[in-house]
Amino acid sequence: MDTGTPHGSDIDDLEQRLLCLLQLDGRIPLSRAARRLGISERTVARRYQRLSALGLRLVGRPVPSRLGLTRWLLCLRCTSGTAVATAKALSRRPDTSWVTVDSGSSEIHCALNTRTATDGDVLLQKLPSTPHVVSAKAHCMLHTFVGETTTWHASRFRMGGTPLVVDSGSRRAPLPLDGADRTLFAELARDGRATLPELAAATDRSPSSVQRRLERLRTEGALTFAVDFDPKLLGYHMSTLLWLRVAPAQLRTVGEALATHPEIPFAAAVTGTSNLVASGIFPTPYDLYAYVDRHIAPLPGIHDIQTSTRLLEVKRLAHSAL
């Protein structure tokens, strides 16, 4: 199994393979993981505890399109020295799932889900009227080629190079949720490996009922699980957003190509001048240059590319109100 992790990682090969299994199935029993890895369950438990102490989180995530939600990427530009305070204010909103400060501490990127295709623009109108916000744009995510958020979630750990593609182009009717389902999403956002008895207590349902609900949500494509782990511990020190302006006839081709690149945990077609946005994780600035030179430049129909470096994650992989 080739994880593609660079030298300089604080995580050894066994822990990398355990992360891979968790990425493939966040709720895999440790006994089954031990059999897959060919080691004892006690060793797996000890390594899992070490990774948890280093910040590992397993998080249950809703698939917005499957629940009839529209996903937005907000881009704000602030005056110098005010971006962090503005980002913290956005992070307190229940409808935001991640908020970052990028590029010279003046740009904020924020993801949120809304129930209609116009609420993203409404949010911009509701932002505080302050001289600190120089400009604001809302980009609607039209189709996700790979991943769910631009927050890194161990996407490199792919069995056989298989991308973690999300069904974002489904025309199926939204899956209806009741109060117990919403409680499940909220609990799994805090701990994706919460036990059935814990989830049963939170939802006031029996463990068998909770198990059936989990199976329904996962089978219907409404619930996925993400591994949240500091990429720096794996030797990746540069996180970026890539904004591409692509010829419409080549948009799908480029998006599907990015979905196969291990450097890219997320790529989506969006509204706006740059019609494709992607998140990239790299060991060094040179690796970003090499990636653009060798993998982006040869793709057809790309007219322009811009990059912004992620400097601070104010909120990530948080539960967004459904």
Side-chain angles (χ1 to χ4, degrees):
M1 183 187 307
D2 179 11
T3 62
T5 303
H7 296 295
S9 167
D10 293 337
I11 308 304
D12 65 19
D13 179 69
L14 176 58
E15 289 163 343
Q16 292 171 24
R17 290 189 289 141
L18 176 56
L19 282 171
C20 176
L21 291 179
L22 292 170
Q23 176 66 35
L24 294 171
D25 181 3
R27 292 183 64 83
I28 185 173
L30 295 185
S31 58
R32 188 186 306 164
R35 291 194 297 270
R36 293 283 302 274
L37 296 171
I39 58 177
S40 71
E41 185 176 349
R42 183 176 180 179
T43 298
V44 169
R46 186 171 64 250
R47 294 306 185 97
Y48 178 81
Q49 290 171 358
R50 178 178 184 269
L51 291 172
S52 297
L54 291 172
L56 170 68
R57 287 195 308 149
L58 277 297
V59 182
R61 301 291 297 157
V63 178
S65 62
R66 192 64 188 90
L67 299 176
L69 302 174
T70 300
R71 191 156 182 78
W72 293 85
L73 176 60
L74 302 185
C75 304
L76 308 179
R77 185 177 295 275
C78 304
T79 56
S80 178
T82 65
V84 173
T86 304
K88 288 181 177 178
L90 284 170
S91 72
R92 291 191 288 270
R93 293 183 59 96
D95 52 1
T96 60
S97 55
W98 61 261
V99 182
T100 65
V101 178
D102 300 349
S103 292
S105 301
S106 62
E107 292 182 359
I108 297 172
H109 290 105
C110 168
L112 73 155
N113 300 325
T114 64
R115 295 190 179 278
T116 72
T118 59
D119 287 348
D121 288 327
V122 171
L123 174 59
L124 288 182
Q125 297 171 11
K126 291 182 178 179
L127 287 172
S129 178
T130 168
H132 299 317
V133 177
V134 178
S135 64
K137 295 181 180 179
H139 301 270
C140 181
M141 298 187 191
L142 305 175
H143 178 83
T144 302
F145 294 102
V146 63
E148 288 188 66
T149 73
T150 59
T151 302
W152 184 86
H153 50 270
S155 66
R156 304 183 165 276
F157 301 111
R158 300 171 180 170
M159 288 285 197
T162 303
L164 303 170
V165 178
V166 174
D167 176 18
S168 72
S170 174
R171 293 182 178 274
R172 290 180 291 174
L175 187 70
L177 301 180
D178 61 17
D181 292 327
R182 290 184 171 85
T183 299
L184 272 180
F185 274 113
E187 292 299 315
L188 293 170
R190 284 187 279 271
D191 180 6
R193 291 184 64 85
T195 65
L196 288 178
E198 290 170 339
L199 295 174
T203 59
D204 196 24
R205 299 291 193 276
S206 68
S208 59
S209 174
V210 168
Q211 181 64 43
R212 289 193 297 271
R213 286 174 180 271
L214 286 176
E215 291 175 356
R216 169 178 172 262
L217 292 172
R218 298 183 76 174
T219 301
E220 291 285 348
L223 171 65
T224 63
F225 290 89
V227 173
D228 183 23
F229 195 68
D230 186 353
K232 294 183 178 64
L233 297 176
L234 291 160
Y236 295 89
H237 299 277
M238 190 167 193
S239 175
T240 63
L241 278 182
L242 307 174
W243 298 87
L244 283 71
R245 186 163 59 89
V246 184
Q250 302 294 340
L251 183 59
R252 176 175 293 275
T253 297
V254 174
E256 291 178 348
L258 293 182
T260 67
H261 297 171
E263 296 86 356
I264 303 297
F266 166 86
V270 296
T271 58
T273 304
S274 296
N275 52 359
L276 195 154
V277 63
S279 175
I281 304 291
F282 306 92
T284 69
Y286 175 79
D287 294 290
L288 169 59
Y289 163 78
Y291 172 74
V292 172
D293 181 54
R294 299 170 188 171
H295 298 285
I296 296 291
L299 294 175
I302 296 179
H303 299 311
D304 183 58
I305 178 172
Q306 298 181 25
T307 61
S308 58
T309 304
R310 182 169 295 147
L311 302 178
L312 175 66
E313 290 181 317
V314 179
K315 182 179 184 179
R316 70 182 188 186
L317 285 181
H319 175 62
S320 181
L322 294 175

